[in-house]
Structure formats: C-alpha cells, structure tokens
Amino acid sequence: MKSLRSPLPLLLALFLLAGLAVSLGSSGPAQAQQSTPPGVTDDQVNAVAKQLYCPVCENIPLDVCPTTACAQWRALIKEKLGQGWSEAQIKDYFVAQYGDRVLASPPARGLNWLVYLIPPVILTIGAFILYRALRSWKQPPSSAGEPGQPVTGPTDPYAARLEEELRRR
Amino acid sequence: MVANLGYGALVIAFLISLYGAGAALYGVRKNDPAWIDSARNAMLLTFPLVSLAALTIIYLLVTNHYEVEYVTSVTSNSMPFYLKVTALWGGQAGSLIFWSWLMSAFASAVTLRKWERDREFLPWVIVVSLVTLAFFLSLSIFIENPFVRLWQTGTGSVVSAMLQPAGAVSFVPADGSGLNPLLRHPGMIIHPPLLYLGFVSFVIPYAFAIAALVTGRTDDRWIRLTRRWSLVAWLFLSLGLLLGGRWAYDVLGWGGYWGWDPVEIAAFMPWLTGTAFLHSVMIQEKRGMLKHWNMILVILTYDLVIFGTFLTRSGVLSSVHAFAQSAIGPVFFGFIGLTFIVSLSLLLRRWNELKSEAQMTSMLSREALFLLNNLLFMGILVVCFWGVLFPLISELFTGQKVTVGPPFYERATAPLFGGLLLLMGVAPLAAWRHSTAKTLGRSMWKPFIASLVVLAFVLLTGVRNPIALLGFWLCAFVAAVTLYEFWRGAQARHHTRAESLPLALWRLAGRNRRRYGGYVIHLGVVLMAIGIIGIELFQSETQGTIPQGNQLTLGDYSITFDSLANFDTNDGRNVARAVVSVFKDGQYVGELHPRRDYYYESQQPMTIPGVRSSWEDDFYVLLVDWQPVSTQGATFKIYHNPLVNWLWLGGFVFILGTLVAAWPDRDPETARVPVRRTAYKPAEA
C-alpha cells in the first residue's frame, strides 16, 4: 500500500508553508493588495488563473477563489507574468509544483486517456444497441393498421390523431 | 436528558423498521394478512418516532445545548432562530436524520393510500421503503450520531461520546462554531430540503417497480400508480437544482450558476435518469413497449439517489483515502451494490414476462424518437458519472489526483444537449407508431420557416458566433413547434367542437395535462437555453484596482468607485461595503453595493455581488479587495452576463409546466383505468 500513498499531505504542507510565508505581512479581514508589477493587468492574471485550480479549494477556479491562499497564487502569477513568463510556462510551473490536479482537465496521457475515451465509446455502443433494436423491431408500414386506429370520427387527420392521443392517456 | 430521548427514538424506529420489513416478508410467505397489517402499522409508527428524533435535534439546536457535538459544530450564539432550526440539515449528522424523516413521512403517506386494487404490491412496497429507511437510520445510530455529547475527562482532554465515560464530566462550550456562512442564504436554506424531497420521493416509484417485479404483476399498473410520485419527485429535484444554481449565482461570487462540481453532478444524475424515465414510461403506457428499459431506469434512478447522497456525505470527493478512513463510505457502497444487484436479478428473473406488446414500426415514430432522447440522456449521464468517478480512479491507481473540470463536461455534453433540443422540436410532431419523413416534413415546415425568421433577426442584431446561431435557431425551432402544437390542438377543437379558441385551448390542456404540461416544460427549457447560451458564450469580465472617484470600464458599461465603508456587525461579521455608480453608454443608471463579509467565527470570507438586472443582461460587480485607506483604491471584478435572466424565467416556466402535468385529477381512479386496448369510440359530445 505504500506505493499508493498520495503525495497530497506533503504537498499541502508545502503549500500552506509557502502561503504562510507570503501572508506574514497581512492579517485579519482586510488584506492589502500586493503592489502590482507595472504592465500586468488583473485581466491578464485572471486569464491564466481561470485555467488553474488550487489543490485545497476543490473545484473552484483560481480566478474566483476568495481564499487568502488563492490570492497568493494569483500574486505569484502576476509576478511571473511581470517577469515575462508565458501562459504555458506558468501552467507548467504550477503543474511541476503541485501536480496535474491544478489543471482544469487531465492532460491526455497515460491513464488519463480513459477520461476522454470511455464516454464516446459507451455512447457509440449505446447508439449501436439502439440502432439494432430499432432495426429488429421495425416492420413495414403496411402492417401498421393495428386495432385502436380511428375508423370513424373527425375527418381532419390531425384532429383524429389528437383525439385518439388524448383518449389514450 | 433530551439527547438520550432523541437517540432512543431513533433506535426504536430502527428496530421497528427491521421488524416491519420482516413481518411483511413473513406475511407474504404465510399468506397471512394480519402480518402485513402489522408491517403496515410498523411503517406508520416510524414517522412519529423519527419526527421525535428530528424535533429533539431542533430543540437542542435552538436552545444552544453546546454539550452536544453537532449543535456546537453548526450553530453559535449569534445565529438567528430560523437559522438554528435549518441547521438541522446544515451538517452531516443532522442531514442524514432529515433524510430519514422525509423517508418515513413519504413511506407513511404511501401506506395510507387505498390499496384495495393493489393489495399484492403492499408488502413489497413496505419492504423496500423500510429497508431503505433502516439503512439510513443505521447510519445515524452507528456512524453519524447527531446526539453524541462532549465530555471532559479526568486528564482534562475533551472527548465525544454518546454515554458518559467513567470519571468524565459534561463539557459545555460557551459558544458554537456556527453554520458555514455560505449556507446562510435563503436559497441555501430551502435548496437542500428540496433536493432531499426529490431524492426521497424517487424511492416510492422504485418500491412499486420492485413490487411489480417480485409479484410478477408486470403490466403498466405500477407505472400508472407512481406516475404522479415520479413527477412530484422530479419537480422537487428540478426545483432543488434551480435554487442551487440561483444560490451559486448570488453567493459564490464567480458570476456563474453551475460549475460542474461533483456535488452538483451528484444531484443532477438522478435527475437525468428521472427525466429519461418520465419520457420512456409514456411509451410503455401508450404502446406497451420498453418494459425492461423502464425498470432499468427506475432502478438506476434509485441507486443514483443513494449514490448522490453517498458522494456528498462520505468525503470520497476530497480523497479516496478519506472514504476509506470514514466508516460511512464503505457502508454506503455496500448498500448501493446490494440493492443494485438484487434489483437486477429480480429484473432478470422476470425478463421474459416483460416482453413488448407492440413493435416499433418506424424510425421516425414518436417512440423511436423518445428512445433517441433516452440515449442522449444516458450519454450525458455517462459523461457526468465518469467525470465524477475518474479522479477517484486516478488517485486510487496512480496516487495522482486530477481535476475533471468544466471544460471536459462542457465539451462532452454540449452536443448532447443540442441533440436533445432538436428532438424537443421534432418529437412532438411525430406520430405514435408510424410516421414518415413526408408526414413529419408536412407538419414541420411552418415552424421551421418561423424559426428561420427568428434566426434572421438574431443575425441582424450582430450575432456571428456559429454555435450561438445554431443554439438560438434550435431554441426558436422548439418554441415554434411547441406553440404550433398548442395552436393546432386548439384549432382542431375549435373546428370539431365549435368551441371558442381560448376555451378550446383550456379544455385541450385540461384533457391531457401531462402532454401540455410537458410542452410548457419544453418552453421553459427553451427559455433556460437562451439564458445559458447568453451567459456561456457572451459573458465578459474585467478586473481592476481603481482609486476613489475613478472609473473601470467593461463594454458599454462603466463603474465609478464612490466610497467604501468597513464595519463590524453584531452577528459576528466584518463587512466591507463599497458604493459604486454604474453608467451605461455614459448615462448614470444606478448605484450598486458589492460587499465582502468576513465571518470571524469560521474565518471565512463571503463575496456578495452588486447586481443590476434586466432582460437584456446582468451587470454583476464584485468587491475583490481594498486598501485600508479607501482613497488608495479598491479592486473590483465586473461581469457582463447577457440574457442570464432568461434562465431564471425559464426556471419558473419549467416548474409551472411540471405543476400542470402533476396536478391531481379530479377522479384519480377512473382516470387511471387502463384504456390502451379499448376500441375507438367517437368522442363524447
């Protein structure tokens, strides 16, 4: 079972430590914003942060996560952008630090392929079964005159069908 | 001690559930109605007992009995009365009791109905309901006991236990840690009960399905008996999902309503199979087909209900290891597996008796299209199920957690949702049994032309995004077809019965409320789709830090930062509230107050947006950050959410349509008499 142990606790500890180190300056409800490196807008930061997820706040994209820890991450993205890093470089950096889980969807490699393959395969199988079933049930329309078909009644075919359908609730 | 009273009531309810299930089985075996009556009485008795347990918790919550661990974990002195009451479902242990409470209420209600015509179903409905109830009660009694109290031992450490440990004294904290601030919203107060109502009421159709399988009475009687239950269950589930979306939009501060979070998907999955079921039962009722499939759908729905509760309650979502460590996960897993296997083996035993009474005659018939609809719903289910499950599988086998987020779900489900929309436009025009491309085309061309006119209009407004154009066209097509169906039906009655058009429309809808209620639901879906296309494809946002008096612009809108106040409230919050003026095309249109509440007790911040709503769009302002001295500025994030209010309007229409469809008949017994094989008689004058 040793090999199955996730590196999560260690990562979390590292992460929290890093968060603590950065947040030493600010405390309490009102946090001061880190000074903005010139030339990097919040929108540029959010464009990158939108595609990332921190390991603590599950399923909340980084650009909208309200926790202090995520604010630190955004500050880090801003800093990297200020140093001229590209979007891909920043994403790679976070992946290297915290693992694939920071990405919005699993990168297509190894076991992860399953996530993209299974649904279409099952859907195709389902469609095939349905097609086969429909084919085997299908009869020529000539035998469609089952009992229950209106033989008298309103002359307008639509009205007749409607009457019949309303009757068979 | 009040907590002991509640716990005692739970234990007795659990024992009575077990007795009732046993008595029903014994009664069937011995063919002795006295035992079945006894089982029925046992079922009726569970309701007052579980009520007593639930009321005990509510009493403990509102009277601040902090020696009870659950009370400490979800309430605090500063919380208002109504929040203390609703804290019953604010935490794990309490919400399981709430589940059991609803279950016992529904089981009792179904027991009280007239059973003369369906006597053979009764013991099996009792068995299924009571086994489910006993399962949830056992979770409360053995694993997540809400009545556990805190004790201080001789060494000074605080432990939690149901019974007083030797040498320990009762430990009463001065204050509790309070309800999660995110849950202190009106939407969140009624959202969980509605979801639970939906979850629990789906148990009843399942119980009838199992009864039908066991007794071999496999005609569509069980479906007719549970039609209204299914619709009501579906209504609650839909309402729960809608309110959850609204809550997210109002409270979570990310400018969205649905984030494909596993917790959301947990509630969405039974809704998907439930929706497929509501459609496919019509084929069984009208044509005597798909009996196997309906059984599979109702079994799936039941187990997805339990699975949904399991996902949200076991901690499995945060980590597979949390699942393995808590006792609740494996127990849930075992129960799901057991019920699934038992249900499927019952189904296999009756497989041959569930043969179709009719045959599919055309690929374009309504039944064939309904099957296609089922395929698409199942496709969405597979995507959701797999998306939720995969991170767990990955963690289990590679130790590496992955995130399966919105991009995956959006890409995978968008075409399927599009296909469903298209079917909503085509299927109502197709006839049962036989329908050809020619007859379909003949009834379709008018709505089709109307939808093209709408498309042209959309093009004129400057929309060029091809996906949006396709989506809007589909919406227009479905709306045109649906309205055309109302019109054609009313016209037909108008001509054949000489009724005035409004009267004809009223009577038409009244004679088959399920059909026309369904059409209203379709219109609701169209409106919701318009809102979803608007916000998903055309949402824009910007963020910036501006000093007081300065402007931040997004498209036609801009805001001016007027002032900011930072103060403490007497319910334990620190509130930072900004005042911004909103301008559209340079014109002043109003003032908004985005704020950030910080809860001292739970150390959680909460972002409340300032929103300006219109049919055209929402202008949604968030206060992200601010400087202690407000002249230095504050950071705002602003969203422009086009058409999002159509989503909420669509939600209303959707619920309205469900109510129309589920409204009780004046004389339920005569209306439920199977008429499938009666010969045609000219309609009454």
Side-chain angles (χ1 to χ4, degrees), chain B residues 569-642:
Chain B
T569 62
N570 54 12
D571 56 356
R573 282 176 297 156
N574 175 280
V575 175
R577 180 174 174 271
V579 179
V580 298
S581 301
V582 181
F583 298 86
K584 189 180 183 187
D585 300 320
Q587 296 287 313
Y588 173 79
V589 288
E591 204 176 79
L592 290 176
H593 310 111
R595 40 176 244 264
R596 171 76 71 98
D597 292 8
Y598 182 84
Y599 286 78
Y600 286 111
E601 281 162 3
S602 53
Q603 305 186 355
Q604 254 184 301
M606 200 166 145
T607 314
I608 317 278
V611 185
R612 179 185 181 271
S613 276
S614 70
W615 287 118
E616 197 184 328
D617 55 17
D618 264 14
F619 186 67
Y620 187 104
V621 182
L622 293 168
L623 175 63
V624 176
D625 211 339
W626 66 94
Q627 302 288 352
V629 184
S630 60
T631 44
Q632 289 176 2
T635 309
F636 294 95
K637 186 164 191 180
I638 50 185
Y639 288 95
H640 181 235
N641 297 333

Side-chain angles (χ1 to χ4, degrees), chain B residues 194-195 197-199 201-202 228-242 271 278 521 651-663:
Chain B
L194 285 170
L195 277 185
L197 275 171
F199 276 14
S201 32
F202 265 125
R228 192 141 291 122
W229 276 107
S230 317
L231 263 174
V232 168
W234 193 71
L235 168 72
F236 285 129
L237 211 47
S238 311
L239 255 177
L241 288 165
L242 279 167
W271 186 89
L278 287 177
I521 295 174
F652 276 111
V653 176
F654 189 100
I655 296 303
L656 182 76
T658 317
L659 285 173
V660 170
W663 205 257

Side-chain angles (χ1 to χ4, degrees), chain B residues 286-328:
Chain B
K286 294 237 160 59
R287 304 272 287 127
M289 299 164 73
L290 296 185
K291 294 177 179 179
H292 302 118
W293 182 234
N294 287 325
M295 285 287 176
I296 292 173
L297 279 178
V298 82
I299 293 167
L300 266 181
T301 307
Y302 173 81
D303 274 316
L304 284 172
V305 160
I306 311 281
F307 184 66
T309 319
F310 158 74
L311 278 182
T312 46
R313 291 286 150 220
S314 67
V316 67
L317 291 174
S318 27
S319 159
V320 213
H321 305 291
F323 158 76
Q325 279 152 17
S326 82
I328 201 166

